[in-house]
Amino acid sequence: MVLSASSVDQFHKGNSPWRIFNRQVVWAVFGAVALWIFARIDMDRWRRYIAPAFIASSLGMLLPFVPGIGQEVNDANAWVAIGGFSFQP
């Protein structure tokens, strides 16, 4: 789906039609390896991290609304920019 949606646009911009697809494949492989590693960890170990992970994720979802940290990217106010690094929680 990524290839069919982005290849023509990238071709018209003078880039390789495979540019975005290759980047997606790299991150998909990274995600699959991380999934395999974390799936091997016993569930009882994960239980002690439930409350801290919930608090951290809840605070992360509020970060885009903090003035000076939240940033608008492509009409979406769901980005956080700290220094030269930006991410979407």
Side-chain angles (χ1 to χ4, degrees), residues 1-7 20-21 24:
M1 296 299 293
V2 171
L3 180 61
S4 67
S6 63
S7 62
I20 295 178
F21 176 74
Q24 290 286 325

Side-chain angles (χ1 to χ4, degrees), residues 59-80:
L59 291 175
M61 294 300 288
L62 293 174
L63 280 177
F65 300 110
V66 176
I69 295 178
Q71 182 182 26
E72 182 177 329
V73 175
N74 294 332
D75 295 328
N77 292 324
W79 287 82
V80 174

Side-chain angles (χ1 to χ4, degrees), residues 15-72:
N15 299 325
S16 169
W18 298 91
R19 181 175 179 230
I20 295 178
F21 176 74
N22 289 339
R23 189 179 318 159
Q24 290 286 325
V25 167
V26 167
W27 284 107
V29 169
F30 177 74
V33 170
L35 173 69
W36 183 79
I37 291 169
F38 286 111
R40 302 277 179 258
I41 298 173
D42 188 38
M43 183 60 88
D44 291 328
R45 263 195 176 162
W46 288 117
R47 290 188 200 279
R48 72 181 106 170
Y49 300 113
I50 290 173
F54 176 74
I55 292 168
S57 63
S58 297
L59 291 175
M61 294 300 288
L62 293 174
L63 280 177
F65 300 110
V66 176
I69 295 178
Q71 182 182 26
E72 182 177 329

